[in-house]
Amino acid sequence: MISKISESVATALADVSHGATIMVGGFGGAGMPNELIDGLLEQGASDLTIVANNAGNAEFGLAALLKAGRVRKVICSFPRQIDSYVFDGLYRAGRIELELVPQGNLAERIRAAGAGIGGFFTKVGFGTELAKHNGVTKETREINGEMYVLESPIHADVALIKAERGDRWGNLTYRMTARNFGPVMAMAAKTTIASVHEICELGDIDPEHVITPGIFVQRVVKIPRAATVASGVKSP
Amino acid sequence: MSYVKLTREQLAARVARDIPEGAYVNLGIGLPTMVANHFAPGFEVFLQSENGLLGMGPAPSKADEDYDLINAGKQPVTLLPGGSFFHSADSFAMMRAGHLDIAVLGALQVAANGDLANWHTGGKDDIPAVGGAMDLAVGAKQTWVMMEHLTKNGESKLVERCSYPITGLGCVTRIYTDLAVIDVSKDGFSVVDVVDGLSQNALEALSGVRLR
């Protein structure tokens, strides 16, 4: 019998290696897999590259990982937050590398990796500082009279995502805007680890409602629903 | 001659007035978010939010807040009947490929050629953050800017050429400020309307750029 269910967060994360590229789902608090990030902090992997929309809030989750010096580079669209002082301090001190990516390019580069696409041309970012990589302008092309920039896929070793329900084959559903980057990150990583609030029997998720089919998911771990916090889910 | 600037609420109402029923609209974070409060009851506009929802409704009461249902500014919102959720790549497909009729964005500067600057001051210690601004600037059918006309130091945000890093080239078609509504075309800025008591000449003097 195939089961992708992990006993615990620690088991699910046991083989994450130093130097790994790790995608972390979430937009603000919605879909942020805080329990998995805490597990990663505990697990000890370092020299990590993090791919996420934001770069951490206050001193929990991603910010705690940054504060512990585990992260070498962040690839994200919106690091500046009202409470992103951990990232801000590291960035100003030159102790963390930032690759800032327009959010749609981030989503599409991740999707491209998951779909086996070697690169794509987009109008977004053309003529801006973000159409440069390490100071060099990326390849551009005129298509039907408009200018496009060549963007490359972003692959990852591990994706940490937060879903709502999952089964032992790895099928997932999400909850409202907590879906955000989860489905595309699941496609783009060699190992996708999803936290869920409910593990259900095969068939309990209506096949018409499966959002991430199990082929994109390697491990599923159940976590308790978080207590009420400004960036989390209200307790039922 | 004296004039009174529009309040933020009045400005939001002014922008809302120009959005046609049935439009698919993305309201940027900050000031543009306030536009949502100024549609008449029963007037149907489809609000899209980059974090994966279409058919966004008003803010919930404190008791009904749910932080899995937030807008791009990470504030709790509601979903209208008929609304939908989707992942980030689908959300940005909507934003990048002309599916949205109007994007309303804040700005640091708008240039006479329609260039927009709103993601970074370029200062050494400033943390850059772009989010979905470049996607919307380039990808919506129309990009409107909603901003205060002058900075806190009294400098005009309308400029001949942006000095801040660019968000999108030649993308802005209309600007709503607390002093005026201004169209942007290949011929530069042209004034649509001005607050009472402010002449076009006085507006031009404040703006420091040529206004037709």
Side-chain angles (χ1 to χ4, degrees):
Chain A
M1 189 178 87
I2 299 301
S3 179
K4 298 183 179 179
I5 311 296
S6 289
E7 292 290 302
S8 65
V9 167
T11 316
L13 293 165
D15 61 356
V16 177
S17 57
H18 294 295
T21 295
I22 303 198
M23 290 179 173
V24 178
F27 182 103
M32 184 65 68
N34 279 319
E35 296 80 358
L36 298 179
I37 302 166
D38 290 349
L40 190 60
L41 189 60
E42 191 89 351
Q43 191 262 9
S46 62
D47 195 32
L48 302 172
T49 295
I50 297 291
V51 182
N53 189 54
N54 305 109
N57 300 83
E59 295 182 29
F60 62 88
L62 209 44
L65 199 65
L66 264 60
K67 193 179 179 195
R70 302 288 181 74
V71 181
R72 181 179 69 78
K73 178 179 179 182
V74 173
I75 302 174
C76 77
S77 89
F78 211 87
R80 184 180 66 228
Q81 306 268 290
I82 197 158
D83 55 356
S84 61
Y85 54 86
V86 171
F87 173 85
D88 300 357
L90 290 169
Y91 178 77
R92 289 184 181 123
R95 288 171 53 206
I96 198 159
E97 189 183 339
L98 170 67
E99 181 180 345
L100 192 76
V101 182
Q103 195 177 159
N105 283 3
L106 185 66
E108 195 63 18
R109 289 175 64 188
I110 294 169
R111 200 195 72 82
I117 293 167
F120 59 91
F121 284 97
T122 177
K123 285 183 270 189
V124 174
F126 177 79
T128 76
E129 286 299 307
L130 300 189
K132 294 179 182 172
H133 186 67
N134 296 332
V136 179
T137 300
K138 296 175 184 180
E139 186 180 338
T140 59
R141 184 176 298 181
E142 186 179 329
I143 301 172
N144 292 331
E146 293 190 275
M147 293 306 296
Y148 289 73
V149 182
L150 178 62
E151 291 290 349
S152 54
I154 302 175
H155 295 270
D157 299 298
V158 177
L160 305 180
I161 63 173
K162 182 182 177 206
E164 178 66 17
R165 302 173 78 206
D167 62 29
R168 65 180 174 85
W169 284 7
N171 295 305
L172 302 176
T173 68
Y174 300 84
R175 187 167 182 271
M176 301 195 283
T177 60
R179 185 182 305 185
N180 58 67
F181 284 88
V184 284
M185 287 181 170
M187 295 165 65
K190 289 185 199 126
T191 302
T192 292
I193 304 169
S195 73
V196 297
H197 292 308
E198 184 190 341
I199 290 176
C200 45
E201 294 300 318
L202 293 182
D204 278 1
I205 302 174
D206 183 335
E208 299 283 4
H209 297 167
V210 171
I211 303 299
T212 295
I215 191 169
F216 298 128
V217 179
Q218 282 66 48
R219 292 167 204 165
V220 176
V221 58
K222 186 178 173 184
I223 54 153
R225 196 177 286 282
T228 303
V229 287
S231 56
V233 181
K234 287 188 179 299
S235 49
Chain B
M1 197 167 68
S2 70
Y3 64 92
V4 181
K5 294 191 285 190
L6 297 185
T7 65
R8 291 159 66 89
E9 291 296 344
Q10 286 169 330
L11 175 55
R14 178 65 188 84
V15 175
R17 210 172 85 196
D18 287 352
I19 295 177
E21 186 159 33
Y24 288 90
V25 179
N26 184 298
L27 301 173
I29 58 175
L31 199 51
T33 303
M34 295 170 65
V35 174
N37 303 329
H38 293 274
F39 297 114
F43 186 85
E44 294 193 324
V45 167
F46 302 103
L47 296 181
Q48 195 261 10
S49 188
E50 66 183 21
N51 54 318
L53 72 160
L54 184 62
M56 184 167 62
S61 66
K62 200 80 189 159
D64 289 328
E65 287 182 353
D66 184 329
Y67 281 86
D68 273 351
L69 180 47
I70 57 175
N71 63 16
K74 286 133 191 149
Q75 299 150 324
V77 292
T78 52
L79 190 76
L80 300 175
S84 55
F85 299 118
F86 32 83
H87 63 64
S88 300
D90 280 353
S91 186
F92 278 86
M94 295 176 196
M95 296 158 66
R96 289 153 67 92
H99 302 285
L100 291 175
D101 296 299
I102 301 165
V104 185
L105 301 176
L108 295 167
Q109 290 175 328
V110 183
N113 61 1
D115 288 359
L116 169 66
N118 73 352
W119 67 279
H120 190 24
T121 60
K124 184 180 160 294
D125 269 354
D126 289 342
I127 308 296
V130 66
M134 287 189 181
D135 305 278
L136 285 167
V138 169
K141 284 196 186 86
Q142 284 198 67
T143 301
W144 294 356
V145 159
M146 178 179 175
M147 64 181 189
E148 279 150 359
H149 203 95
L150 305 173
T151 67
K152 288 188 179 69
N153 300 326
E155 291 157 0
S156 174
K157 295 186 183 181
L158 305 186
V159 293
E160 284 302 331
R161 284 284 177 273
C162 292
S163 57
Y164 290 133
I166 297 290
T167 304
L169 298 173
C171 57
V172 177
T173 53
R174 181 165 265 212
I175 306 165
Y176 295 84
T177 80
D178 48 357
L179 298 182
V181 178
I182 292 161
D183 270 338
V184 189
S185 70
K186 60 176 173 32
D187 301 319
F189 298 122
S190 58
V191 178
V192 177
D193 61 35
V194 190
V195 292
D196 289 342
L198 184 63
S199 70
Q200 184 158 333
N201 283 344
L203 179 71
E204 190 164 36
L206 280 172
S207 304
V209 288
R210 184 159 180 276
L211 303 175
R212 289 187 302 117

